[in-house]
Amino acid sequence: MMDMTVTTYLVYLLIAVPLTIWVARTLSRNGRIFLVDVFHGNADFADAVNRLLVVGFYLINLGFVTLFLRSGSPVLDASGVFEQLSVKLGIVMLVLGVVHLTNVWIFNKIRTRSRLDSMTRPPVPPNDNIQPVTMTEQAARYGY
């Protein structure tokens, strides 16, 4: 018969790994349109960045899930299983949320900067320079 600590490990992995996969897929699917906008409609580039982000997301979060598997003390009964799982899964969900919000914040900064750059550039390059007019020239021109 398996002891309760091993049961806790198995249940933790059976919940944490699919949860991580679900979050990664959801972020990838729903974040695509945001990335296309960030990269000015370049869908191929946005898709490539999206795939790289998913790989990084898996590495960071599944690495964390794996490192966080170990329990500091043995689990003795069913209530201990629930207590351990609530702490472990709660922390995993918080880490998933922080990683997600960090990604959104970074890409929003990139998007904002990109939009500011596009707004400060003239639509066409100037073809001539206009010399400033002095007050005397202006008075003479308009008869003051």
Side-chain angles (χ1 to χ4, degrees):
M1 187 168 132
M2 267 193 299
D3 69 7
M4 295 302 241
T5 303
V6 174
T7 302
T8 304
Y9 292 160
L10 290 175
V11 172
Y12 167 72
L13 288 173
L14 287 172
I15 295 172
V17 171
L19 177 66
T20 301
I21 292 168
W22 175 76
V23 170
R25 287 183 178 170
T26 301
L27 294 176
S28 174
R29 185 177 53 254
N30 296 316
R32 182 183 183 278
I33 192 163
F34 181 74
L35 289 173
V36 169
D37 184 50
V38 167
F39 297 116
H40 306 291
N42 188 342
D44 291 336
F45 189 69
D47 289 339
V49 169
N50 201 11
R51 285 188 296 273
L52 292 172
L53 285 171
V54 168
V55 169
F57 187 87
Y58 280 138
L59 290 172
I60 289 171
N61 289 294
L62 291 176
F64 177 77
V65 164
T66 304
L67 287 173
F68 201 58
L69 177 67
R70 185 172 181 205
S71 176
S73 59
V75 179
L76 303 175
D77 56 7
S79 66
V81 170
F82 285 105
E83 289 170 7
Q84 284 279 343
L85 287 174
S86 68
V87 170
K88 288 185 174 300
L89 292 172
I91 290 174
V92 165
M93 286 189 263
L94 287 172
V95 168
L96 288 170
V98 167
V99 170
H100 165 63
L101 290 176
T102 302
N103 280 342
V104 169
W105 182 78
I106 289 169
F107 281 104
N108 189 47
K109 284 291 197 187
I110 292 170
R111 181 174 176 246
T112 301
R113 178 172 288 164
S114 171
R115 287 187 178 221
L116 285 175
D117 287 347
S118 68
M119 292 167 72
T120 58
R121 291 186 202 128
V124 292
N127 56 5
D128 199 6
N129 291 330
I130 299 175
Q131 298 298 320
V133 179
T134 64
M135 292 298 281
T136 323
E137 292 172 332
Q138 188 175 4
R141 186 179 296 163
Y142 295 109
Y144 294 138

